Tab-separated table of all heavy atoms in Angstrom:
chain	number	residue	atom	x	y	z
A	409	GLU	N	-18.280	-15.767	18.153
A	409	GLU	CA	-16.931	-16.315	18.082
A	409	GLU	C	-16.337	-16.071	16.691
A	409	GLU	O	-15.186	-15.665	16.550
A	409	GLU	CB	-17.015	-17.808	18.363
A	409	GLU	CG	-15.732	-18.391	18.909
A	409	GLU	CD	-15.925	-19.867	19.190
A	409	GLU	OE1	-16.695	-20.183	20.128
A	409	GLU	OE2	-15.343	-20.695	18.448
A	410	GLN	N	-17.172	-16.250	15.681
A	410	GLN	CA	-16.693	-16.077	14.304
A	410	GLN	C	-16.373	-14.610	13.993
A	410	GLN	O	-15.433	-14.316	13.264
A	410	GLN	CB	-17.748	-16.606	13.317
A	410	GLN	CG	-17.846	-18.115	13.309
A	410	GLN	CD	-19.107	-18.609	12.601
A	410	GLN	OE1	-20.204	-18.108	12.852
A	410	GLN	NE2	-18.956	-19.594	11.725
A	411	LEU	N	-17.168	-13.709	14.558
A	411	LEU	CA	-16.947	-12.279	14.281
A	411	LEU	C	-15.747	-11.730	15.048
A	411	LEU	O	-15.155	-10.723	14.655
A	411	LEU	CB	-18.194	-11.458	14.656
A	411	LEU	CG	-19.403	-11.597	13.745
A	411	LEU	CD1	-20.617	-10.907	14.371
A	411	LEU	CD2	-19.120	-11.012	12.370
A	412	GLY	N	-15.429	-12.379	16.151
A	412	GLY	CA	-14.290	-11.928	16.955
A	412	GLY	C	-14.704	-10.892	17.987
A	412	GLY	O	-15.809	-10.342	17.920
A	413	PRO	N	-13.815	-10.600	18.927
A	413	PRO	CA	-14.164	-9.753	20.070
A	413	PRO	C	-14.386	-8.281	19.710
A	413	PRO	O	-14.986	-7.542	20.487
A	413	PRO	CB	-12.957	-9.899	21.011
A	413	PRO	CG	-11.838	-10.343	20.129
A	413	PRO	CD	-12.429	-11.077	18.978
A	414	ASP	N	-13.910	-7.819	18.566
A	414	ASP	CA	-14.029	-6.398	18.198
A	414	ASP	C	-15.437	-6.003	17.799
A	414	ASP	O	-15.775	-4.823	17.776
A	414	ASP	CB	-13.105	-6.058	17.018
A	414	ASP	CG	-11.659	-6.171	17.433
A	414	ASP	OD1	-11.424	-6.253	18.663
A	414	ASP	OD2	-10.789	-6.199	16.543
A	415	LYS	N	-16.230	-6.986	17.402
A	415	LYS	CA	-17.561	-6.641	16.891
A	415	LYS	C	-18.631	-6.890	17.932
A	415	LYS	O	-18.785	-8.005	18.421
A	415	LYS	CB	-17.855	-7.427	15.613
A	415	LYS	CG	-16.864	-7.074	14.520
A	415	LYS	CD	-17.493	-7.052	13.165
A	415	LYS	CE	-16.598	-6.250	12.239
A	415	LYS	NZ	-16.501	-6.770	10.908
A	416	GLU	N	-19.378	-5.816	18.228
A	416	GLU	CA	-20.450	-5.923	19.197
A	416	GLU	C	-21.698	-6.448	18.478
A	416	GLU	O	-21.979	-6.040	17.353
A	416	GLU	CB	-20.722	-4.530	19.762
A	416	GLU	CG	-21.611	-4.520	20.975
A	416	GLU	CD	-21.864	-3.097	21.497
A	416	GLU	OE1	-21.343	-2.136	20.889
A	416	GLU	OE2	-22.571	-2.954	22.484
A	417	VAL	N	-22.425	-7.344	19.139
A	417	VAL	CA	-23.652	-7.873	18.530
A	417	VAL	C	-24.826	-7.597	19.482
A	417	VAL	O	-24.751	-7.910	20.670
A	417	VAL	CB	-23.543	-9.400	18.282
A	417	VAL	CG1	-24.843	-9.944	17.692
A	417	VAL	CG2	-22.368	-9.717	17.368
A	418	PHE	N	-25.887	-6.996	18.945
A	418	PHE	CA	-27.091	-6.759	19.745
A	418	PHE	C	-28.066	-7.893	19.500
A	418	PHE	O	-28.573	-8.042	18.391
A	418	PHE	CB	-27.733	-5.421	19.373
A	418	PHE	CG	-27.030	-4.265	20.015
A	418	PHE	CD1	-25.896	-3.730	19.420
A	418	PHE	CD2	-27.469	-3.741	21.219
A	418	PHE	CE1	-25.215	-2.679	20.005
A	418	PHE	CE2	-26.799	-2.695	21.823
A	418	PHE	CZ	-25.673	-2.157	21.227
A	419	ALA	N	-28.291	-8.697	20.518
A	419	ALA	CA	-29.207	-9.826	20.383
A	419	ALA	C	-30.606	-9.357	20.765
A	419	ALA	O	-30.828	-8.917	21.886
A	419	ALA	CB	-28.753	-10.972	21.281
A	420	ILE	N	-31.543	-9.429	19.821
A	420	ILE	CA	-32.898	-8.929	20.086
A	420	ILE	C	-33.972	-9.889	19.567
A	420	ILE	O	-33.669	-10.845	18.836
A	420	ILE	CB	-33.155	-7.554	19.397
A	420	ILE	CG1	-33.187	-7.717	17.863
A	420	ILE	CG2	-32.117	-6.525	19.796
A	420	ILE	CD1	-33.859	-6.565	17.140
A	421	SER	N	-35.202	-9.607	19.950
A	421	SER	CA	-36.329	-10.211	19.253
A	421	SER	C	-37.243	-9.056	18.860
A	421	SER	O	-37.859	-8.433	19.720
A	421	SER	CB	-37.086	-11.193	20.158
A	421	SER	OG	-38.346	-11.467	19.563
A	422	ALA	N	-37.269	-8.767	17.574
A	422	ALA	CA	-38.089	-7.651	17.095
A	422	ALA	C	-39.550	-7.958	17.369
A	422	ALA	O	-40.332	-7.077	17.727
A	422	ALA	CB	-37.859	-7.424	15.609
A	423	MET	N	-39.908	-9.241	17.251
A	423	MET	CA	-41.298	-9.630	17.429
A	423	MET	C	-41.742	-9.457	18.882
A	423	MET	O	-42.813	-8.937	19.143
A	423	MET	CB	-41.490	-11.073	16.984
A	423	MET	CG	-42.917	-11.410	16.685
A	423	MET	SD	-43.055	-12.994	15.876
A	423	MET	CE	-42.727	-14.096	17.210
A	424	ASN	N	-40.910	-9.884	19.821
A	424	ASN	CA	-41.264	-9.769	21.246
A	424	ASN	C	-40.770	-8.471	21.862
A	424	ASN	O	-40.893	-8.272	23.060
A	424	ASN	CB	-40.669	-10.941	22.037
A	424	ASN	CG	-41.260	-12.260	21.601
A	424	ASN	OD1	-42.264	-12.272	20.884
A	424	ASN	ND2	-40.653	-13.356	22.008
A	425	ARG	N	-40.186	-7.640	21.087
A	425	ARG	CA	-39.615	-6.361	21.551
A	425	ARG	C	-38.618	-6.564	22.677
A	425	ARG	O	-38.568	-5.818	23.645
A	425	ARG	CB	-40.731	-5.407	21.989
A	425	ARG	CG	-41.719	-5.278	20.877
A	425	ARG	CD	-42.727	-4.219	21.038
A	425	ARG	NE	-43.521	-4.257	19.797
A	425	ARG	CZ	-44.247	-3.280	19.348
A	425	ARG	NH1	-44.293	-2.160	19.996
A	425	ARG	NH2	-44.912	-3.399	18.218
A	426	PHE	N	-37.822	-7.575	22.552
A	426	PHE	CA	-36.820	-7.869	23.564
A	426	PHE	C	-35.510	-7.166	23.236
A	426	PHE	O	-35.022	-7.234	22.108
A	426	PHE	CB	-36.621	-9.400	23.645
A	426	PHE	CG	-35.375	-9.817	24.378
A	426	PHE	CD1	-35.288	-9.695	25.767
A	426	PHE	CD2	-34.276	-10.322	23.672
A	426	PHE	CE1	-34.131	-10.070	26.428
A	426	PHE	CE2	-33.116	-10.694	24.334
A	426	PHE	CZ	-33.037	-10.572	25.715
A	427	ASN	N	-34.963	-6.447	24.256
A	427	ASN	CA	-33.656	-5.787	24.131
A	427	ASN	C	-33.618	-4.647	23.100
A	427	ASN	O	-32.552	-4.337	22.552
A	427	ASN	CB	-32.580	-6.815	23.779
A	427	ASN	CG	-31.372	-6.653	24.678
A	427	ASN	OD1	-31.366	-5.799	25.582
A	427	ASN	ND2	-30.348	-7.445	24.445
A	428	ILE	N	-34.753	-4.035	22.861
A	428	ILE	CA	-34.828	-2.997	21.823
A	428	ILE	C	-34.194	-1.677	22.277
A	428	ILE	O	-33.460	-1.035	21.523
A	428	ILE	CB	-36.307	-2.747	21.413
A	428	ILE	CG1	-36.939	-4.024	20.869
A	428	ILE	CG2	-36.428	-1.594	20.429
A	428	ILE	CD1	-36.430	-4.465	19.528
A	429	LEU	N	-34.471	-1.283	23.543
A	429	LEU	CA	-34.006	0.040	23.993
A	429	LEU	C	-32.478	0.217	23.946
A	429	LEU	O	-31.993	1.234	23.446
A	429	LEU	CB	-34.568	0.355	25.383
A	429	LEU	CG	-34.403	1.806	25.822
A	429	LEU	CD1	-35.027	2.777	24.824
A	429	LEU	CD2	-35.001	2.018	27.211
A	430	PRO	N	-31.697	-0.772	24.443
A	430	PRO	CA	-30.235	-0.601	24.347
A	430	PRO	C	-29.781	-0.421	22.894
A	430	PRO	O	-28.872	0.350	22.612
A	430	PRO	CB	-29.669	-1.903	24.919
A	430	PRO	CG	-30.776	-2.533	25.672
A	430	PRO	CD	-32.068	-2.017	25.122
A	431	LEU	N	-30.459	-1.123	21.981
A	431	LEU	CA	-30.113	-0.996	20.560
A	431	LEU	C	-30.389	0.421	20.074
A	431	LEU	O	-29.543	1.042	19.417
A	431	LEU	CB	-30.914	-2.013	19.733
A	431	LEU	CG	-30.845	-1.834	18.214
A	431	LEU	CD1	-29.436	-2.083	17.703
A	431	LEU	CD2	-31.834	-2.780	17.509
A	432	LEU	N	-31.565	0.972	20.441
A	432	LEU	CA	-31.907	2.325	19.987
A	432	LEU	C	-30.932	3.363	20.540
A	432	LEU	O	-30.538	4.296	19.853
A	432	LEU	CB	-33.339	2.681	20.398
A	432	LEU	CG	-34.437	1.830	19.768
A	432	LEU	CD1	-35.807	2.382	20.152
A	432	LEU	CD2	-34.287	1.763	18.253
A	433	ARG	N	-30.543	3.159	21.793
A	433	ARG	CA	-29.591	4.107	22.393
A	433	ARG	C	-28.262	4.050	21.662
A	433	ARG	O	-27.637	5.076	21.408
A	433	ARG	CB	-29.394	3.796	23.878
A	433	ARG	CG	-30.601	4.202	24.692
A	433	ARG	CD	-30.377	3.949	26.162
A	433	ARG	NE	-31.563	4.321	26.907
A	433	ARG	CZ	-31.958	3.744	28.034
A	433	ARG	NH1	-31.241	2.763	28.561
A	433	ARG	NH2	-33.053	4.138	28.649
A	434	LYS	N	-27.859	2.860	21.316
A	434	LYS	CA	-26.588	2.690	20.588
A	434	LYS	C	-26.684	3.365	19.208
A	434	LYS	O	-25.750	4.040	18.762
A	434	LYS	CB	-26.285	1.190	20.435
A	434	LYS	CG	-25.107	0.882	19.554
A	434	LYS	CD	-23.805	1.242	20.245
A	434	LYS	CE	-22.614	0.892	19.360
A	434	LYS	NZ	-21.346	1.260	20.006
A	435	ILE	N	-27.831	3.195	18.542
A	435	ILE	CA	-28.002	3.812	17.216
A	435	ILE	C	-27.932	5.338	17.348
A	435	ILE	O	-27.214	6.009	16.601
A	435	ILE	CB	-29.343	3.391	16.566
A	435	ILE	CG1	-29.361	1.887	16.280
A	435	ILE	CG2	-29.577	4.174	15.263
A	435	ILE	CD1	-30.712	1.341	15.813
A	436	ALA	N	-28.652	5.891	18.329
A	436	ALA	CA	-28.681	7.349	18.516
A	436	ALA	C	-27.276	7.881	18.775
A	436	ALA	O	-26.857	8.895	18.218
A	436	ALA	CB	-29.610	7.703	19.672
A	437	GLN	N	-26.542	7.156	19.599
A	437	GLN	CA	-25.187	7.567	19.957
A	437	GLN	C	-24.264	7.505	18.732
A	437	GLN	O	-23.449	8.391	18.509
A	437	GLN	CB	-24.737	6.572	21.020
A	437	GLN	CG	-23.507	6.899	21.763
A	437	GLN	CD	-23.092	5.653	22.576
A	437	GLN	OE1	-23.846	4.678	22.719
A	437	GLN	NE2	-21.890	5.688	23.098
A	438	THR	N	-24.422	6.470	17.917
A	438	THR	CA	-23.578	6.339	16.730
A	438	THR	C	-23.894	7.438	15.713
A	438	THR	O	-22.990	8.001	15.090
A	438	THR	CB	-23.772	4.943	16.076
A	438	THR	OG1	-23.695	3.962	17.090
A	438	THR	CG2	-22.719	4.679	15.015
A	439	ILE	N	-25.179	7.768	15.570
A	439	ILE	CA	-25.564	8.852	14.650
A	439	ILE	C	-24.910	10.154	15.104
A	439	ILE	O	-24.350	10.902	14.308
A	439	ILE	CB	-27.098	9.016	14.599
A	439	ILE	CG1	-27.731	7.828	13.895
A	439	ILE	CG2	-27.489	10.320	13.889
A	439	ILE	CD1	-29.243	7.760	14.014
A	440	ASP	N	-24.972	10.391	16.413
A	440	ASP	CA	-24.398	11.633	16.960
A	440	ASP	C	-22.918	11.767	16.671
A	440	ASP	O	-22.407	12.862	16.504
A	440	ASP	CB	-24.604	11.681	18.478
A	440	ASP	CG	-25.963	12.251	18.824
A	440	ASP	OD1	-26.627	12.746	17.890
A	440	ASP	OD2	-26.352	12.189	19.993
A	441	SER	N	-22.224	10.646	16.636
A	441	SER	CA	-20.778	10.742	16.452
A	441	SER	C	-20.364	10.546	14.988
A	441	SER	O	-19.191	10.406	14.686
A	441	SER	CB	-20.067	9.730	17.360
A	441	SER	OG	-20.566	8.445	17.095
A	442	THR	N	-21.348	10.523	14.077
A	442	THR	CA	-21.028	10.372	12.658
A	442	THR	C	-21.329	11.680	11.930
A	442	THR	O	-22.414	12.221	12.102
A	442	THR	CB	-21.881	9.236	12.035
A	442	THR	OG1	-21.721	8.077	12.828
A	442	THR	CG2	-21.475	8.943	10.602
A	443	PRO	N	-20.385	12.192	11.152
A	443	PRO	CA	-20.641	13.474	10.482
A	443	PRO	C	-21.785	13.391	9.490
A	443	PRO	O	-22.085	12.318	8.963
A	443	PRO	CB	-19.326	13.772	9.769
A	443	PRO	CG	-18.597	12.479	9.714
A	443	PRO	CD	-19.069	11.646	10.847
A	444	LEU	N	-22.375	14.537	9.231
A	444	LEU	CA	-23.467	14.621	8.255
A	444	LEU	C	-22.917	14.587	6.838
A	444	LEU	O	-21.871	15.148	6.577
A	444	LEU	CB	-24.153	15.969	8.407
A	444	LEU	CG	-25.359	16.110	9.289
A	444	LEU	CD1	-25.853	17.535	9.224
A	444	LEU	CD2	-26.450	15.159	8.822
Side-chain angles (χ1 to χ4, degrees):
E409 205 179 292
Q410 288 166 313
L411 288 171
D414 293 347
K415 298 216 161 142
E416 192 181 1
V417 178
F418 281 84
I420 68 161
S421 165
M423 200 169 73
N424 296 348
R425 306 190 177 201
F426 165 73
N427 228 2
I428 300 290
L429 192 56
L431 170 66
L432 296 186
R433 287 183 181 149
K434 172 73 178 179
I435 295 172
Q437 192 191 348
T438 312
I439 290 169
D440 275 351
S441 56
T442 308
L444 266 182

